[in-house]
Amino acid sequence: MTATLLVTGASGQLGRSVINHLLDTYKVPPAQIIATTRTPATLADLAARGVTVREANFDDTASLAAAFEAADRMLIISTNELAVQGKRQEQQLAAVAAAKQAGVSHIHYTSMPTPEGSPILFAPDHYATEQAIKASGIPYTIFRNGWYDENLFMAMPQVLAPGQWYTSAGDGAISYGARDDYAAAIAAGLASDASESTTYTLTGPKAYTAAEVAALVTEVTGKPIQIVQLSDDALTEGMKAAGLPEPIARLLVSFDAATRAGGLGMVTDSVEKLSGRKSVSLEQFLQNNKAALVG
C-alpha cells in the first residue's frame, strides 16, 4: 500500500486511535500518514514518529485544501461542534469541498446509524455530509458508527449515586461498541486499497436495553439501579431541573427517542469483518473499566 493517508481530528480520541492502528496494527509507514488538527502541538509524539502533522481548522475554509494536499485516501472525522446548530454541517461540507479541490481519491467519513429521518437532533449534519460526499463524485467509504461503550461513563456516575436511571427509551436497545474496536475497523478500511463506494454500520456484537445495561453495571459495581421510564417531555424537564441547559437536555432526550424507535439497535459484523478481530463484549468492557463507571 503506497497511498498517502490523511486523518482529520487527529488529536481527538478516535483520531488518535485510528492513527495508532495505522502505525502499529497495519504497519503503515509513518511517512505515508498525514495527521491534521487545530492544535498541532498536541501531536508532537506522532511527529516524532515520522507522521506529518498539519494544522487544519474547519472554520478556515480557505486553508483546508492546502492542509489536505497530497492526500490520496482521507478520513474526515465528524467534528464535535454541537453548540451552534448547523455549525458542524457547515464545517464538514467545507472539508468535503476542500478534499475535492485537493484531489483526494477516496473519502472516508464517520457518520451515525440511519441518519436519514432519525430523531437525533444532530442527524441532519451527518446526512447532509453523506449526501455531499456522494455528490462530490469521489469514491467513498462511510462508517456509520454506533454508540460507544465509553458513552456510559458520562451517565453512570449520575445514575449510580441515587440508584435511579431516568429514561424515555422504553424497551429500545443500543448496540454499544468499544471505541478502539471501531477505530481498528476504520483504520483497516483507510489502509486498504478498496476503491468502490461502500457504507458500513459499525456496532458492538449485541444490543442492550437500559434494563439490561443496568443489570450488567449492577453486577460489576454491586450497586442496584432502578429504571424509571418517563415521557420525552418529562425527561427533558427533569434534566433542566437538574441544571442542564435546555438544548443539551433536548439533545440527550433525542438519543432516547431514537433508541425507543429502534434506530440504535442494529447489530452488524462489520467491525470484525474489517478489522479481523473479535469485538469486545459490553460485559467485558464494563469489567475492565469499573473505576470509570463509578466516577
Side-chain angles (χ1 to χ4, degrees), residues 10-11 16 35-48 52-57:
S11 57
R16 271 195 168 270
T36 74
T37 175
R38 290 174 296 180
T39 54
T42 62
L43 300 182
D45 57 318
L46 293 180
T52 298
V53 175
R54 295 177 183 167
E55 182 174 358
N57 185 340

Side-chain angles (χ1 to χ4, degrees), residues 47-88:
R49 294 186 67 178
V51 172
T52 298
V53 175
R54 295 177 183 167
E55 182 174 358
N57 185 340
F58 281 22
D59 292 325
D60 182 10
T61 57
S63 69
L64 287 182
F68 301 160
E69 184 180 357
D72 298 308
R73 299 173 67 83
M74 171 184 182
L75 172 64
I76 300 175
I77 293 180
S78 55
T79 76
N80 59 2
E81 183 56 74
L82 297 175
V84 179
Q85 189 170 6
K87 183 65 174 177
R88 176 159 73 165

Side-chain angles (χ1 to χ4, degrees), residues 99-125:
K100 183 164 186 172
Q101 186 179 345
V104 170
S105 60
H106 198 108
I107 294 177
H108 303 69
Y109 171 64
T110 59
S111 186
M112 62 163 278
T114 57
E116 56 275 38
S118 171
I120 293 176
L121 296 184
F122 56 60
D125 296 342

Side-chain angles (χ1 to χ4, degrees), residues 13 18 20 23 30 38 40 43 53 62-63 101 123 155 165 169 183-184 195 204 220-221 225-226 231 252 257 274 289:
Q13 291 175 306
V18 167
N20 286 337
L23 291 168
R38 290 174 296 180
L43 300 182
V53 175
S63 69
Q101 186 179 345
W165 186 346
S195 59
V220 170
T221 64
I225 298 172
Q226 177 190 9
S231 68
L252 294 175
L274 284 162
N289 294 278

Side-chain angles (χ1 to χ4, degrees), residues 15 19 23 28 38 47 68 70 91 121 129 133 135 139 141 146 163 187 193 255:
I19 291 177
L23 291 168
V28 176
R38 290 174 296 180
F68 301 160
Q91 291 175 326
L121 296 184
T129 305
I133 290 170
T141 303
D193 58 3
F255 298 166

